[in-house]
Amino acid sequence: MIIIFTFLTILLGAVPIAIYSSIGIDTDHFGWGVTLGVFIIVFILYRNRLQFSGWYKGKGREKLPGSVSTRLVITAILLVLSPLILNLALG
């Protein structure tokens, strides 16, 4: 599970960082926010979808409540967009 989280976070985190770099936004100081946002998205994806498609059939397999998922998605989106927001705010 740790390998899956790490692999997906690195793979999916490279996309927004590459986009920000291509439009000239520096992600050196705010890249951690993008990575954390992508990690949260991978966590939500795992808890709500991927854990039910695997081989593990033990206890504790339940989806995140809808309100928690919504809050986490909003937080993740804000973190992924943080370099863009801060670049626009700081000029």
Side-chain angles (χ1 to χ4, degrees):
M1 185 170 86
I2 293 172
I3 294 171
I4 292 171
F5 268 56
T6 304
F7 178 73
L8 285 176
T9 301
I10 291 171
L11 184 69
L12 297 175
V15 174
I17 291 175
I19 292 171
Y20 288 141
S21 296
S22 70
I23 59 175
I25 296 176
D26 183 26
T27 58
D28 290 341
H29 297 96
F30 308 114
W32 62 269
V34 174
T35 304
L36 183 59
V38 170
F39 180 80
I40 292 171
I41 292 169
V42 170
F43 173 74
I44 295 167
L45 179 66
Y46 173 77
R47 284 293 305 264
N48 290 342
R49 298 280 182 220
L50 297 179
Q51 74 173 336
F52 300 107
S53 63
W55 50 269
Y56 180 70
K57 304 292 182 199
K59 294 181 181 179
R61 288 178 16 136
E62 57 185 59
K63 290 184 176 185
L64 292 171
S67 62
V68 173
S69 292
T70 302
R71 289 181 184 137
L72 285 174
V73 167
I74 290 169
T75 302
I77 290 170
L78 288 174
L79 284 169
V80 169
L81 294 177
S82 65
L84 179 63
I85 294 168
L86 291 172
N87 187 38
L88 291 173
L90 298 176

